[in-house]
Amino acid sequence: MSQLPVFDLLSDLRTAFSQHNQVILEAPTGAGKSTALPLAMLDWPEITGKIIMLEPRRVATRSVARYIAAQRYQVNGKALGEEVGYRVRGDAQSSARVKLEVVTEGILTRMIQQDPELAGIGMIIFDEIHERHLTTDLGLALALEVQQSFREDLAILAMSATLSGMALSTLMPEAISLKSEGRSFPVEVIYQSIIGTNSQRSQPWLEPMGAAIVALLEASASTPDRLPSHKSNAFLAQVTSFEGLADKSLLAFLPGQNEIRRLQTYLDARLDHRQYVICPLYGSLPPKAQDQAIAPAAKGVRKIVLATNVAESSLTIEGIGMVVDSGYQRQAIFNPKTGTSKLSLKRISQASSAQRSGRAGRLSNGLALRLWGQEEQGRLAKMDLAEIEHSELTNLVFDCAYWGVKAVNELPMLTVPSSRNETYAWQLLQKLALVDNDHKMTPHGRSAYELGCDPRLAHMMLKAKTLALKNSDAELVGLACVLAGVLSARGRVGMSVNILDHLKAALMGEAAQFSKQFVRKLNVKTVSLDNVIVHATPSSVAFLLGLAYPDRIAKARGNKGYQLANGTGVELPDNDPLTQSPWLVIADFQEGAQTAGRVYLAAPFPVALLTQRLGKGDHNTTDIALSHDLSFLVSSINYCAWNEVKGRFYSEDRRYIDKILLSKTAGSKPERTQVIQTLLVQIRSKGLQMLHMNDKVRQLQYRMKLAMILDTSEDWPDISDHRLLETLEIWLAPYLNDVSSLSQLMKLDCYQLLLNGCSWQQQQRLDTLLPTHWPMLTGTQVGIDYDDTGRATLSVRLQEALGMKESPRLAQGKLVVTMALLSPARRPLALTADLASFWQGPYVEVKKEMKGRYPKHLWPDDPANTQPTKFTKKKTLNAQK
């Protein structure tokens, strides 16, 4: 390990920490930053406290700790947990004696919240900070706060494979920056674009990927002369010419567990099990199976590791010399409208593709096969988005509230969070009474936070405990712990949607660990989880889930569809038994890309829980077994609307759970305020055509719009349709006190109502700048027609425009009027905004054509200097005499 590049920086690092307590280290793949560096630091006498090193993934946390511990065991005989240990959620090998503890980021956040002074800790190392997990960003922010407020002596080392696109130096402006060389062997990158042949499947590229892996394994173990058919395939010819791959194992990157399982099935049917062992690797895999994927393969056997992006960094898998990259990842995009995340299949970034390919060159020369074209590589995004920009922020915001800040940006964060997602998180915590309206943690919220789980589940368990004490029903809080354990566990057994079928899982594995942990924290000593599961009834499960997920109580619509209380549409799998339930409470679902969301865990929901208090009965025999209800979730309103058939307003007493209508009954005569509000709702729904918006009103709107543009010295009101609909309460509502029908609504003088929005001075100025009529020399007052394009048109018979040198100008000369010149029969002859040019040119042709048609009317040779008239030639001459 002393040959690793990071060893060349050890002296500089020690000097840097003697001068400052913040250091930023950029160290590419293979530098030894995750293993050799913390191993060396164990012998630095200047580090007097414990070293905490954060890894972004559980599998890497265990692997790194075990590797460093194994190295130290050769020196001092101390096994894992004595000098070097680790802690991840639900698993730990550590003790008070450890000097180096490798943890996942969420562990550090809890450590800081419980002890802001971090007593006994001398240094915090943030490894792979470029992955930008939510907990990484928050852990760094809290560590910087601790360093600034309580522990100036606390050392912080931020390490990343790349600093490109990161604002670390801005966040830590006084930090000393160092850069290490990487150490990786050459990796030959091959591009092969694959096109799926089966478009019926959700991932048509998956089987071609499997075929490429089989071909790669066969070609790497052969020579060109032994496989002549490969000469016609440029890809296989390139593989067979690459030396040293015959005994190498292969790492394949896929977007998720489902693709891993399907590809494993494909490969199992095509590879000799005596020569190959296939190992899946993903986050929720049991630790033992993860360790198997990382460990060296047996002699004479080649290992095929099918992994998600957990294998991208901080993890060296023994024997890997080949990488096959699908180029896909799954990204969870949170939607605050639905309150859940949508898992989308997306292309990886260029940075991610480089990390993946690099895994082939950790221990020797390697080969990486990218299953897309080389031209597409340049179109990939440079970097992945930080999770804080697109993920759900409820847990992060809960951490912030416990720390005492009222907004995430009060902390020194690397990236500003999504404002919509942060708003949703605060609102949810308020709804659960975990924070107050000022974002201050409530006593209930503080107790919930200390349970160390999802805020919804913590709220459910605490409420269950309160009710259990009141009703001497200890099994209720025990059941809450069981449900929380099942929902907290990452891997679930079975495919059933009904959560009641998963309760037995709380007696084994990770779910059992969580369930028992919650029982201990809630101090429920007399509860037997076995009895709780035996006595659990659908109604008690539904009640508890309703406490945790009130926004996900759902009503059936259609064959398998349901509407959640928050308005979201979801669907059960085909032929699922729960489709017979008129109501459900949904514990887990994902938003669909284009269709309704898919339900993963739910329970039948007795709607009576929302409408009446239920008597306590025998848990074994009575489906309704609760002495409490969820009626506090129901809101009642007096609804008023217009009956189109009967032509009158009516009212109803309605009861809702959020957006789901529970019941309605006829109400009393609507109040005047209700009628007015209903009228405004109708107008907003159907538009301003419900009002008497005649041409006079439209002309006023056009004039006012022009005034706003041409006369900026005055504060003209906006009376556009859009603005009028927005401000109905201001300009219309005060005049609706005597309106009791739609016909009366149409009789309102909207012109005068809108004019009332202008002061008397503005009305006078508007008439001066943009008059409704123009006085002709003949004495005729001709109307000016304004339109939405900003044009003013004067339609007048040509003979009345004689003698006009040019077109009229309005708004102090800023607007030229367009002249629509008409024949004596008031038919269009010409349209011009330049009257002088018209007289000199086009008029000649008009005169030729019209003079024979209208011989009794005046068609002078010099129109610009002729007296205008509104009569025939004879009447005009008589008038002149």
Side-chain angles (χ1 to χ4, degrees), residues 336-595:
K337 290 184 178 179
T338 62
T340 192
S341 297
K342 176 172 67 177
L343 276 178
S344 300
L345 193 68
K346 294 183 175 294
R347 276 297 192 188
I348 60 174
S349 65
Q350 293 183 29
S352 183
S353 68
Q355 285 276 15
R356 292 181 175 189
S357 298
R359 311 318 287 175
R362 291 300 296 269
L363 302 174
S364 64
N365 291 5
L367 181 73
L369 171 60
R370 293 175 177 170
L371 298 177
W372 61 90
Q374 189 165 3
E375 72 286 347
E376 188 177 351
Q377 175 71 12
R379 297 196 297 267
L380 298 179
K382 299 291 184 185
M383 301 284 292
D384 290 312
L385 287 176
E387 284 187 355
I388 200 169
E389 297 180 78
H390 61 77
S391 296
E392 182 178 4
L393 302 179
T394 304
N395 285 294
L396 180 140
V397 165
F398 202 28
D399 279 311
C400 290
Y402 193 85
W403 187 248
V405 298
K406 298 180 179 179
V408 176
N409 62 12
E410 292 182 19
L411 293 174
M413 304 297 292
L414 275 168
T415 303
V416 176
S418 160
S419 59
R420 292 172 69 243
N421 294 1
E422 182 178 354
T423 298
Y424 169 88
W426 285 113
Q427 290 174 346
L428 176 60
L429 295 180
Q430 287 172 334
K431 190 172 185 177
L432 298 175
L434 301 175
V435 301
D436 61 20
N437 292 336
D438 296 322
H439 296 180
K440 184 179 179 181
M441 184 79 82
T442 63
H444 174 61
R446 189 163 294 275
S447 297
Y449 185 86
E450 289 165 1
L451 286 176
C453 64
D454 181 271
R456 289 180 183 265
L457 302 179
H459 168 74
M460 172 189 72
M461 287 187 285
L462 289 175
K463 287 293 185 183
K465 183 176 181 180
T466 300
L467 292 168
L469 291 173
K470 287 182 179 179
N471 297 278
S472 300
D473 188 6
E475 288 193 353
L476 183 67
V477 66
L479 180 58
C481 293
V482 167
L483 289 171
V486 170
L487 291 167
S488 298
R490 299 186 68 174
R492 300 191 188 115
V493 180
M495 301 298 291
S496 174
V497 171
N498 193 334
I499 198 170
L500 278 83
D501 297 333
H502 294 256
L503 297 186
K504 289 185 180 179
L507 299 176
M508 62 189 75
E510 192 177 40
Q513 292 179 19
F514 285 125
S515 300
K516 294 172 183 176
Q517 174 185 311
F518 297 142
V519 167
R520 286 194 303 270
K521 288 187 175 183
L522 289 168
N523 197 25
V524 189
K525 298 178 181 178
T526 60
V527 168
S528 164
L529 294 185
D530 293 298
N531 290 336
V532 164
I533 293 171
V534 169
H535 294 156
T537 64
S539 59
S540 54
V541 170
F543 171 78
L544 291 169
L545 293 180
L547 290 173
Y549 304 101
D551 53 331
R552 298 184 188 174
I553 295 171
K555 185 179 181 181
R557 62 177 186 185
N559 293 329
K560 58 179 181 177
Y562 288 79
Q563 180 194 346
L564 271 60
N566 66 16
T568 305
V570 297
E571 286 186 350
L572 290 167
D574 292 334
N575 303 317
D576 191 276
L578 284 183
T579 55
Q580 304 302 314
S581 303
W583 288 82
L584 296 175
V585 55
I586 312 295
D588 186 18
F589 80 100
Q590 284 181 357
E591 184 182 354
Q594 296 176 339
T595 59

Side-chain angles (χ1 to χ4, degrees), residues 5-313:
V6 77
F7 264 82
D8 296 335
L9 282 180
L10 292 184
S11 177
D12 292 340
L13 271 169
R14 295 180 75 168
T15 301
F17 276 116
S18 69
Q19 299 171 352
H20 201 268
N21 59 6
Q22 295 178 359
V23 174
I24 298 171
L25 173 62
E26 183 175 10
T29 298
K33 65 180 183 299
S34 303
T35 51
L37 178 57
L39 177 63
M41 286 180 168
L42 285 170
D43 294 323
W44 288 7
E46 56 264 43
I47 301 179
T48 57
K50 181 191 290 186
I51 301 171
I52 299 293
M53 184 165 80
L54 281 81
E55 289 293 337
R57 304 180 192 279
R58 299 197 300 176
V59 59
T61 301
R62 286 193 297 267
S63 174
V64 166
R66 286 171 179 164
Y67 184 82
I68 297 174
Q71 301 299 311
R72 292 297 284 184
Y73 183 79
Q74 297 176 23
V75 175
N76 56 24
K78 292 183 179 180
L80 179 67
E82 295 183 48
E83 186 185 34
V84 178
Y86 72 84
R87 269 196 291 166
V88 301
R89 191 182 182 208
D91 182 23
Q93 276 195 256
S94 189
S95 69
R97 303 186 304 276
V98 300
K99 189 173 180 181
L100 169 64
E101 190 171 44
V102 189
V103 302
T104 47
E105 302 108 320
I107 299 292
L108 175 68
T109 299
R110 289 279 166 172
M111 291 173 63
I112 294 176
Q113 299 277 28
Q114 292 165 8
D115 177 17
E117 294 187 9
L118 290 178
I121 295 173
M123 174 180 285
I124 302 177
I125 303 173
F126 291 87
D127 192 19
E128 307 294 1
I129 203 168
H130 64 276
E131 292 199 14
R132 300 301 310 281
H133 293 188
L134 274 177
T135 42
T136 307
D137 286 9
L138 180 62
L140 178 60
L142 293 180
L144 292 172
E145 289 249 307
V146 168
Q147 189 184 64
Q148 182 178 3
S149 304
F150 305 106
R151 290 281 311 281
E152 292 183 0
D153 63 313
L154 180 67
I156 294 177
L157 173 60
M159 305 195 302
S160 177
T162 174
L163 296 177
S164 175
M166 293 181 65
L168 261 180
S169 58
T170 303
L171 191 65
M172 305 162 64
E174 297 180 5
I176 296 173
S177 295
L178 298 173
K179 185 171 183 177
S180 170
E181 296 296 325
R183 191 195 76 166
S184 58
F185 294 87
V187 175
E188 182 80 15
V189 177
I190 301 174
Y191 292 89
Q192 186 189 28
S193 181
I194 59 173
I195 301 174
T197 56
N198 188 351
S199 60
Q200 302 292 322
R201 303 189 70 109
S202 57
Q203 286 92 23
W205 48 267
L206 196 58
E207 288 189 5
M209 180 179 181
I213 290 174
V214 172
L216 177 57
L217 290 168
E218 292 177 351
S220 64
S222 306
T223 58
D225 58 318
R226 288 179 59 192
L227 290 172
S229 61
H230 288 175
K231 293 179 181 179
S232 61
N233 187 311
F235 150 60
L236 294 176
Q238 193 171 357
V239 173
T240 52
S241 64
F242 196 91
E243 297 180 357
L245 296 179
D247 61 344
K248 297 297 183 184
S249 292
L250 182 146
L251 170 62
F253 283 100
L254 293 116
Q257 297 179 36
N258 182 50
E259 290 82 7
I260 287 175
R261 285 192 294 266
R262 285 177 52 193
L263 187 57
Q264 184 174 7
T265 301
Y266 179 92
L267 295 176
D268 271 334
R270 290 163 176 80
L271 296 176
D272 186 343
H273 294 182
R274 295 168 297 178
Q275 299 181 43
Y276 301 99
V277 57
I278 304 172
C279 301
L281 181 60
Y282 48 85
S284 61
L285 198 67
K288 193 172 182 179
Q290 291 181 348
D291 294 341
Q292 181 184 357
I294 297 170
K299 188 176 181 180
V301 176
R302 301 172 75 183
K303 183 167 56 178
I304 303 165
V305 180
L306 308 180
T308 61
N309 53 12
V310 299
E312 275 190 19
S313 57

Side-chain angles (χ1 to χ4, degrees), residues 678-697:
T678 301
L679 285 168
L680 299 184
V681 169
Q682 287 283 314
I683 294 169
R684 283 200 172 98
S685 173
K686 297 183 178 180
L688 292 174
Q689 62 267 26
M690 294 189 68
L691 301 171
H692 188 47
M693 300 289 285
N694 57 15
D695 187 61
K696 189 176 181 182
V697 175

